Structure formats: structure tokens, C-alpha cells
Amino acid sequence: MAIQHPLTLSFGLLGNIISFLVFLAPVPTFYTIYKRKTAEGFQALPYVIALLSSMLYIYYALLKEEFKEDATFLITINSFGCVVETLYISLFLFYAPKKARISTLTLVFLLNLFGFGLMMLLTHFLATGEMRLKIVGWICLVFSLSVFVAPLGVLRRVIRTKSVEFMPFPLSFFLTLGAVTWFFYGLLIKDYNIAFPNILGFLFGIAQMVLYIVYKNTKKVLEEQPKVQELSEHIIDVVKISSLVCPELNPVVLQPTLDITNDMIEAVQNIIVMAEKTEEAKEAMDIDASTKV
């Protein structure tokens, strides 16, 4: 590794440490998958995308090395990322249902094998020298921007549900800190393909933390009505059972409203009526069965 400015060295090391922690963030998720012995309900797309991102930046870093530009920090952290993400995907495939396994393998083939391989072939044979480095750099920049835009879905979900359950603050904090670190690292080495995407990452990170502060106590308010939620679930179950035993019964249609007292009373009455009819239907079925015997 060439001798670097102390600030460049500091931001490069700090960026590696933070990214190392971010790469290890999904470990609790995969521990849960291991304990449950199934990956049902989880998605492999984030890990496939993260693997592709690491592969792209390793290729970019190796091209920079050809032009005597030091890219040690990019190579080290993205090599670690490739290993970790490959392990995550392997564990997911091992515990995933057949349908999810097939779709994940298709994604890996299309993005990580075919897509990345095609990009390497085209840039190798259709571009030479510094132009190849610029093209690959622009590809990394656009891909990083698209990855940083991904949290928009999470932000929209937080605003809609007023819950931060799926947006843990520590992860948002470290992603924001990592974006700041890599921005200054890219700025110091004058590599704007690294610096520019992290501006967007910083802004989205700040937005996530602000939303967390705004909605972090909303869950407590929602938990004050557990019985209402439990009753709704029981009503849904009764409707399903009544549809199977007595198909001629009309299902209960739940209308969400702020004043739910009357709806709850009516729903409970409907439950009692359906339960009585269900019991009568079962008795009739038992009488028919005994008659046949």
C-alpha cells in the first residue's frame, strides 16, 4: 500500500471498520433462520444486491491498481463483503422453501453471473485504458445510487404504519456514519465515483434517523389496544371456519373506524350467531354420519 495522507488513511480505516460492522448486521437474522430451520418469510434480494455491489467495486479497485492508484481499502472491505454475502446466500438457499430457492438461484445467475460477466466482457473488449476505468466507475456510481434509493420503501412504510419496527436506529446510524466516512475518503483521493453516491446515502440516513425519533414512541400507543387486535384476529378465524362448515353464511365485513365500540359489539354478536349455526351444522353432520352407520 502506497503512503497516504494521514486523513485519507484515517477515513479509509474507519470506513472499513464501519462497513465491516454493517456487513455483519444480518447475523441475528440468519441466527433466527437457523433456529427456525426455515427461511420462509425472508428475502434474499438484499444479499444478492450486496454481493453484486462488492463484486463491482473489487473490479473497479483492481482497474485503479493498474493505473498505480492505491485501492487497498476498497479491495479489503469488498473482499470481506463478497465472502460474507456468499455465506448469507448459501445459508438462505439451504433453509429456503423450494420456490424461494429457485427464485434466488435465478437472481444470482442473472445478476451476479450473467450480468456481471457480461459487463466485464464488454468493458474489457470494447474499452481500453483509462476509458475502461471511467466506464466501470460510472457503473459503480449508478449502481450505488440505486442501492441508496432502496430505503425509500422503508421510509414510506414507516410513515404509513407510524412504526419503526423494521428500521432499527443502530443500523441507520452506522449506515449514515459509513456514508460520511466514505464520502470524505473519496473526496480526499479525488475519486468522485466513491464520494458522490455517499451524499445521497448521508441524506437518506439522516431522514431515517429523524423518522425514528418522530415515530419511536408510536408503538407504545398501538400496544394499548392489544385486545382489539386479538378480537379482530379471532373474528377473521371464525369467518374462515364458518366458510368451510357453512358456506351459505355471509362473512362478517370489518369496517375500520375510530369509534370501534359499536362495531365490536356487533362483531361479537355475529360471532355468537355463527358459532351457534356452526355447532348446529356439526350436530347435523354427526346425525347423518350415525344414520349411515
Side-chain angles (χ1 to χ4, degrees):
M1 183 173 65
I3 298 176
Q4 299 183 356
H5 189 279
L7 278 178
T8 305
L9 184 63
S10 299
F11 280 112
L13 285 172
L14 186 59
N16 268 244
I17 294 170
I18 295 172
S19 297
F20 177 84
L21 295 174
V22 171
F23 275 128
L24 293 180
V27 168
T29 298
F30 281 91
Y31 181 73
T32 301
I33 292 175
Y34 169 75
K35 294 289 288 184
R36 290 173 50 187
K37 305 300 181 186
T38 178
E40 189 172 1
F42 296 91
Q43 293 184 347
L45 181 60
Y47 313 109
V48 175
I49 296 297
L51 176 60
L52 179 58
S53 176
S54 294
M55 293 167 65
L56 284 171
Y57 272 101
I58 285 179
Y59 181 44
Y60 177 61
L62 292 175
L63 290 177
K64 285 172 66 72
E65 291 283 349
E66 291 182 5
F67 289 89
K68 308 302 181 183
E69 298 182 33
D70 186 67
T72 304
F73 290 123
L74 287 179
I75 293 174
T76 52
I77 191 58
N78 286 290
S79 297
F80 176 75
C82 282
V83 173
V84 171
E85 300 300 336
T86 301
L87 288 174
Y88 290 155
I89 295 171
S90 300
L91 284 171
F92 181 88
L93 290 172
F94 184 79
Y95 289 110
K98 183 177 180 181
K99 186 177 179 180
R101 188 181 297 120
I102 293 173
S103 62
T104 301
L105 287 172
T106 303
L107 272 175
V108 171
F109 175 77
L110 291 176
L111 295 178
N112 302 89
L113 297 180
F114 179 77
F116 180 76
L118 181 63
M119 185 273 297
M120 283 192 65
L121 288 174
L122 292 177
T123 55
H124 182 76
F125 290 106
L126 299 182
T128 57
E130 192 171 341
M131 180 57 65
R132 182 190 303 160
L133 178 64
K134 288 183 179 179
I135 293 173
V136 175
W138 275 100
I139 293 173
C140 290
L141 187 148
V142 172
F143 187 81
S144 296
L145 288 175
S146 64
V147 170
F148 279 126
V149 170
L152 281 175
V154 178
L155 297 180
R156 186 168 58 249
R157 183 172 187 177
V158 170
I159 295 172
R160 187 178 69 251
T161 63
K162 294 180 172 55
S163 172
V164 294
E165 180 182 0
F166 299 99
M167 192 181 69
F169 184 83
L171 182 59
S172 299
F173 174 76
F174 280 110
L175 286 173
T176 305
L177 188 59
V180 173
T181 304
W182 285 112
F183 166 76
F184 282 110
Y185 176 77
L187 199 64
L188 288 169
I189 64 173
K190 295 181 175 58
D191 190 334
Y192 303 112
N193 295 320
I194 298 175
F196 284 164
N198 285 287
I199 297 176
L200 193 61
F202 170 74
L203 294 177
F204 280 128
I206 293 296
Q208 289 182 40
M209 290 191 291
V210 169
L211 283 178
Y212 185 91
I213 294 171
V214 171
Y215 292 115
K216 66 178 181 178
N217 294 322
T218 306
K219 186 176 180 181
K220 297 179 181 178
V221 176
L222 296 176
E223 286 176 349
E224 292 177 359
Q225 300 177 345
K227 294 183 179 179
V228 175
Q229 182 179 1
E230 185 179 354
L231 177 60
S232 300
E233 292 173 355
H234 285 310
I235 293 172
I236 294 170
D237 290 338
V238 170
V239 171
K240 291 179 180 177
I241 294 172
S242 62
S243 300
L244 293 174
V245 179
C246 302
E248 70 275 7
L249 294 178
N250 293 325
V252 178
V253 179
L254 302 178
Q255 297 293 337
T257 177
L258 294 177
D259 185 9
I260 63 173
T261 306
N262 294 331
D263 291 343
M264 287 176 59
I265 295 173
E266 184 180 353
V268 171
Q269 292 174 346
N270 287 331
I271 291 173
I272 295 172
V273 172
M274 286 189 295
E276 291 176 350
K277 292 186 178 182
T278 302
E279 189 64 30
E280 292 174 0
K282 288 182 179 180
E283 291 176 357
M285 292 172 62
D286 291 339
I287 293 172
D288 291 339
S290 61
T291 303
K292 291 179 181 180
V293 173

